[in-house]
Amino acid sequence: MDKDINVTLKIWRQKGPKEKGHFETYPMNNINQSVSFLEMLDILNERLVNEGKEPIVFDHDCREGICGMCSLYVNGHPHGPATGATTCQLYMRRFHDGETITIEPWRSAGFPVIRDLMVDRTAYDKIMQAGGFVSVNTGGVPDANAIAIPKENADLAMDAAACIGCGACAAACKNGSAMLFVSAKVSQFALLPQGRIEAARRAKAMVAKMDELGFGNCTNTRACEMECPKNVSVSNIARLNREFLKAKLQD
């Protein structure tokens, strides 16, 4: 049965991208273990507002593990100690009475801090934009959606498409690499016939944009795969490399 616990929060506070940040400590008493991690931060913010202090700035939206906005580094792990889950799916029963919890923003040069725990993740949007559109022939026979696709390819494409673009992969990587994200987005189209028309251009453009935005190279440590809340496989990185090499050979 869930019980009330007392924890100490060490939270990164930073007023802006060019300001020097620091940790501030907040004791949290009588927090029920059934409370989610973000709800616990809501309780803290309500207390700070009532005290006339600045609340903690952090990203959140759906709180259902879908949007990927709850990008927090908790005790050295992107999204916290739970595997296959986002921060909003993390509950206080994961922590012990008297524990100190360290909360930081994403650690990546590609995601500059906006304020406190909120980072600018528009770099991923720019990579997606570089990938461009997908051409689909919707006229004639057979219809585009009637093209037979092997189940294995369809399953792999769906697994890659599960990526929510939260940025945990880049935050976990010691080089700040976005390879898992980019490879997932390339793979979900590369595995399907509808995505083959722009395949070469897509692979080259997305890799070029990733490099331009300052993300590092893949370290092959698989930290990205371990911390991904949607369990996206690093096998997609191998597929991205193949797609990129094929595109360069075509040139």
Side-chain angles (χ1 to χ4, degrees):
M1 184 175 178
D2 294 324
K3 61 180 182 179
D4 290 350
I5 60 173
N6 301 326
V7 295
T8 301
L9 304 181
K10 284 183 62 179
I11 300 179
W12 184 260
R13 303 300 306 263
Q14 187 171 338
K15 291 185 177 180
K18 297 181 180 179
E19 301 290 332
K20 187 175 181 180
H22 63 282
F23 281 104
E24 289 188 6
T25 302
Y26 303 93
M28 297 294 289
N29 299 323
N30 301 318
I31 300 297
N32 193 270
Q33 288 182 307
S34 64
V35 170
S36 76
F37 197 82
L38 296 190
E39 287 171 337
M40 182 269 299
L41 291 179
D42 290 337
I43 294 170
L44 171 59
N45 275 344
E46 185 175 355
R47 189 182 86 193
L48 292 175
V49 170
N50 290 335
E51 293 174 354
K53 299 177 181 178
E54 285 288 329
I56 311 294
V57 176
F58 63 95
D59 260 330
H60 62 92
D61 189 8
C62 73
R63 300 205 178 195
E64 294 179 349
I66 299 171
C67 70
M69 291 186 68
C70 51
S71 47
L72 300 181
Y73 224 93
V74 182
N75 284 350
H77 294 276
H79 290 301
T83 56
T86 52
T87 309
C88 62
Q89 297 172 301
L90 179 66
Y91 285 82
M92 294 307 294
R93 63 178 65 95
R94 283 272 180 177
F95 303 96
H96 305 290
D97 187 38
E99 186 172 350
T100 297
I101 305 171
T102 303
I103 311 171
E104 303 167 80
W106 273 173
R107 302 172 180 174
S108 175
F111 302 134
V113 173
I114 297 174
R115 188 181 178 100
D116 293 343
L117 303 174
M118 179 186 287
V119 299
D120 183 354
R121 294 186 295 122
T122 56
Y124 272 13
D125 296 329
K126 293 175 181 176
I127 294 174
M128 287 291 290
Q129 289 170 354
F133 57 85
V134 177
S135 294
V136 178
N137 178 15
T138 58
V141 179
D143 184 82
N145 291 327
I147 299 173
I149 300 171
K151 185 179 186 303
E152 181 182 359
N153 288 356
D155 288 346
L156 289 172
M158 287 296 290
D159 289 344
C163 169
I164 56 177
C166 68
C169 50
C173 179
K174 61 186 179 182
N175 280 357
S177 173
M179 282 289 282
L180 189 66
F181 166 74
V182 176
S183 67
K185 296 307 176 185
V186 166
S187 288
Q188 72 183 71
F189 296 121
L191 286 159
L192 303 176
Q194 293 92 337
R196 296 310 307 169
I197 300 171
E198 294 88 14
R201 183 197 58 77
R202 182 183 303 112
K204 290 186 295 183
M206 293 184 78
V207 169
K209 180 59 70 172
M210 174 182 67
D211 292 340
E212 176 190 326
L213 293 171
F215 291 100
N217 296 321
C218 177
T219 62
N220 294 314
T221 59
R222 302 180 70 170
C224 55
E225 181 184 58
M226 294 297 295
E227 301 290 0
C228 175
K230 297 301 176 181
N231 298 314
V232 175
S233 171
V234 291
S235 63
N236 289 300
I237 296 178
R239 186 174 296 106
L240 169 62
N241 290 335
R242 290 196 297 270
E243 290 293 317
F244 183 77
L245 287 174
K246 282 194 294 185
K248 286 296 185 181
L249 288 173
Q250 287 175 14
D251 290 344

